[in-house]
Amino acid sequence: MKTWRKLPILAATAASLVAWYAFRPERLLLNKRVNESMVTEQGDSSPRPVESGQFYGIVHPTAGTATIFQMGGGRVLRLTKFHTSNGPDVHVYLVAADDAKDAATVEKAGFVDLGVMKGNLGDQNYTLAGDLDLAKYRSVSIWCKRFSVNFGAAALRPTVATQNQ
């Protein structure tokens, strides 16, 4: 085959590989299940729920519960009965807004990145910094960094046990 005929084939192959890497379409079909147990510390009383909220879908169907637990040595955000779509570069954000209802709210209000989502199905834990101001960060966003898309969110509200103290 002549060189000028090979070039379009090579260019198309390279473009396909770049597009695959950028979009990672197989992640739309593959689920990653996580089943982390609740974090506890030795000698510590049981973790106490401080704030909680239900996830709802924005760009992708998302459901489950986000709860912040207080323990002797710190705080943990726990996602339970969680499910959303899988995708490339999806992170868990705490957002400085009452509700992370859209991408503009997340970007404008500011956020703390808790890390890459461990899985799109199941229970998982994310450690919170000791100096994190929960009065400021009032919602959770499941955020795709690659495309700046908010998959789903949960507005955090004080739990009943916290309100009665």
Side-chain angles (χ1 to χ4, degrees):
M1 193 182 273
K2 296 188 180 194
T3 303
W4 62 272
R5 288 187 183 175
K6 290 180 185 178
L7 287 177
I9 293 170
L10 288 173
T13 301
S16 296
L17 289 172
V18 168
W20 170 80
Y21 179 76
F23 292 98
R24 300 297 304 262
E26 80 280 5
R27 290 209 174 170
L28 297 174
L29 305 172
L30 301 175
N31 290 318
K32 183 173 181 188
R33 183 171 297 279
V34 177
N35 190 19
E36 288 186 320
S37 58
M38 182 61 190
V39 178
T40 58
E41 296 175 349
Q42 287 186 339
D44 191 21
S45 60
S46 11
R48 183 175 53 90
V50 178
E51 296 182 334
S52 188
Q54 295 298 312
F55 278 102
Y56 61 92
I58 297 172
V59 172
H60 293 287
T62 303
T65 304
T67 306
I68 294 178
F69 287 91
Q70 179 70 50
M71 293 178 240
R75 296 174 293 190
V76 170
L77 170 67
R78 180 163 173 81
L79 310 184
T80 52
K81 297 181 182 175
F82 178 73
H83 68 52
T84 190
S85 295
N86 205 349
D89 207 16
V90 180
H91 288 241
V92 178
Y93 285 178
L94 273 181
V95 181
D98 286 335
D99 196 358
K101 60 186 180 236
D102 55 30
T105 300
V106 173
E107 291 171 334
K108 182 178 177 186
F111 56 86
V112 173
D113 188 343
L114 301 180
V116 174
M117 183 176 67
K118 296 174 182 178
N120 66 309
L121 302 172
D123 300 343
Q124 47 203 287
N125 305 313
Y126 298 88
T127 303
L128 303 180
D131 61 347
L132 184 71
D133 182 4
L134 294 180
K136 178 179 178 183
Y137 295 94
R138 307 291 313 136
S139 58
V140 180
S141 169
I142 306 302
W143 185 265
C144 179
K145 280 181 84 171
R146 184 166 294 163
F147 300 109
S148 297
V149 174
N150 194 356
F151 278 25
L156 298 172
R157 301 293 176 255
T159 61
V160 174
T162 305
Q163 292 173 347
N164 293 333
Q165 289 182 355

